[in-house]
Short mmCIF file of all heavy atoms in Angstrom, two decimals:
data_model
loop_
_atom_site.label_atom_id
_atom_site.label_comp_id
_atom_site.label_asym_id
_atom_site.label_seq_id
_atom_site.Cartn_x
_atom_site.Cartn_y
_atom_site.Cartn_z
N GLN A 1164 -7.02 -11.78 6.99
CA GLN A 1164 -5.79 -12.37 7.54
C GLN A 1164 -5.46 -13.66 6.78
O GLN A 1164 -5.50 -14.77 7.33
CB GLN A 1164 -5.97 -12.62 9.04
CG GLN A 1164 -6.21 -11.34 9.83
CD GLN A 1164 -6.43 -11.60 11.31
OE1 GLN A 1164 -6.85 -12.68 11.71
NE2 GLN A 1164 -6.15 -10.61 12.13
N TRP A 1165 -5.09 -13.50 5.53
CA TRP A 1165 -4.85 -14.66 4.66
C TRP A 1165 -3.69 -15.51 5.13
O TRP A 1165 -3.62 -16.71 4.85
CB TRP A 1165 -4.57 -14.17 3.23
CG TRP A 1165 -3.46 -13.17 3.14
CD1 TRP A 1165 -3.58 -11.81 3.17
CD2 TRP A 1165 -2.05 -13.44 3.01
NE1 TRP A 1165 -2.35 -11.22 3.07
CE2 TRP A 1165 -1.40 -12.19 2.97
CE3 TRP A 1165 -1.30 -14.60 2.91
CZ2 TRP A 1165 -0.01 -12.08 2.85
CZ3 TRP A 1165 0.08 -14.50 2.80
CH2 TRP A 1165 0.70 -13.25 2.77
N TRP A 1166 -2.75 -14.93 5.87
CA TRP A 1166 -1.58 -15.68 6.31
C TRP A 1166 -1.93 -16.76 7.33
O TRP A 1166 -1.16 -17.69 7.55
CB TRP A 1166 -0.55 -14.73 6.91
CG TRP A 1166 -1.14 -13.83 7.96
CD1 TRP A 1166 -1.28 -14.09 9.29
CD2 TRP A 1166 -1.69 -12.52 7.75
NE1 TRP A 1166 -1.88 -13.03 9.93
CE2 TRP A 1166 -2.14 -12.05 9.00
CE3 TRP A 1166 -1.83 -11.71 6.63
CZ2 TRP A 1166 -2.73 -10.82 9.15
CZ3 TRP A 1166 -2.43 -10.47 6.80
CH2 TRP A 1166 -2.86 -10.02 8.04
N ARG A 1167 -3.10 -16.67 7.95
CA ARG A 1167 -3.51 -17.69 8.90
C ARG A 1167 -3.79 -19.03 8.23
O ARG A 1167 -3.84 -20.07 8.90
CB ARG A 1167 -4.74 -17.23 9.69
CG ARG A 1167 -4.46 -16.08 10.66
CD ARG A 1167 -5.71 -15.72 11.45
NE ARG A 1167 -5.41 -14.71 12.46
CZ ARG A 1167 -5.04 -14.98 13.70
NH1 ARG A 1167 -4.89 -16.24 14.07
NH2 ARG A 1167 -4.79 -14.02 14.57
N THR A 1168 -4.03 -19.01 6.92
CA THR A 1168 -4.32 -20.26 6.21
C THR A 1168 -3.12 -21.21 6.23
O THR A 1168 -3.29 -22.41 5.98
CB THR A 1168 -4.72 -19.98 4.76
OG1 THR A 1168 -3.64 -19.31 4.09
CG2 THR A 1168 -5.95 -19.10 4.70
N PHE A 1169 -1.91 -20.71 6.52
CA PHE A 1169 -0.74 -21.57 6.59
C PHE A 1169 -0.62 -22.30 7.93
O PHE A 1169 0.24 -23.18 8.09
CB PHE A 1169 0.53 -20.74 6.34
CG PHE A 1169 0.62 -20.19 4.95
CD1 PHE A 1169 0.43 -18.83 4.72
CD2 PHE A 1169 0.88 -21.02 3.87
CE1 PHE A 1169 0.52 -18.31 3.44
CE2 PHE A 1169 0.96 -20.51 2.59
CZ PHE A 1169 0.79 -19.16 2.37
N ASN A 1170 -1.45 -21.89 8.90
CA ASN A 1170 -1.47 -22.57 10.22
C ASN A 1170 -0.08 -22.61 10.86
O ASN A 1170 0.34 -23.64 11.40
CB ASN A 1170 -2.04 -23.99 10.09
CG ASN A 1170 -3.49 -23.98 9.64
OD1 ASN A 1170 -4.29 -23.18 10.12
ND2 ASN A 1170 -3.84 -24.87 8.72
N ASP A 1171 0.62 -21.49 10.79
CA ASP A 1171 1.95 -21.39 11.39
C ASP A 1171 1.90 -20.28 12.44
O ASP A 1171 1.89 -19.09 12.10
CB ASP A 1171 2.99 -21.06 10.32
CG ASP A 1171 4.42 -21.17 10.84
OD1 ASP A 1171 4.66 -20.76 11.99
OD2 ASP A 1171 5.29 -21.65 10.10
N PRO A 1172 1.86 -20.63 13.74
CA PRO A 1172 1.75 -19.60 14.79
C PRO A 1172 2.89 -18.59 14.76
O PRO A 1172 2.66 -17.40 15.04
CB PRO A 1172 1.75 -20.42 16.08
CG PRO A 1172 1.33 -21.79 15.68
CD PRO A 1172 1.88 -21.99 14.30
N THR A 1173 4.09 -19.03 14.45
CA THR A 1173 5.22 -18.10 14.42
C THR A 1173 5.04 -17.07 13.31
O THR A 1173 5.25 -15.87 13.53
CB THR A 1173 6.54 -18.86 14.20
OG1 THR A 1173 6.70 -19.83 15.24
CG2 THR A 1173 7.72 -17.91 14.21
N LEU A 1174 4.64 -17.52 12.13
CA LEU A 1174 4.40 -16.59 11.02
C LEU A 1174 3.27 -15.63 11.35
O LEU A 1174 3.38 -14.41 11.11
CB LEU A 1174 4.06 -17.39 9.75
CG LEU A 1174 3.64 -16.56 8.54
CD1 LEU A 1174 4.77 -15.66 8.08
CD2 LEU A 1174 3.20 -17.48 7.39
N THR A 1175 2.20 -16.13 11.93
CA THR A 1175 1.06 -15.28 12.29
C THR A 1175 1.48 -14.20 13.29
O THR A 1175 1.11 -13.03 13.15
CB THR A 1175 -0.08 -16.13 12.88
OG1 THR A 1175 -0.52 -17.07 11.88
CG2 THR A 1175 -1.25 -15.26 13.29
#
Side-chain angles (χ1 to χ4, degrees):
Q1164 297 178 335
W1165 54 267
W1166 51 87
R1167 290 183 175 270
T1168 60
F1169 294 108
N1170 296 318
D1171 189 321
T1173 302
L1174 174 63
T1175 299

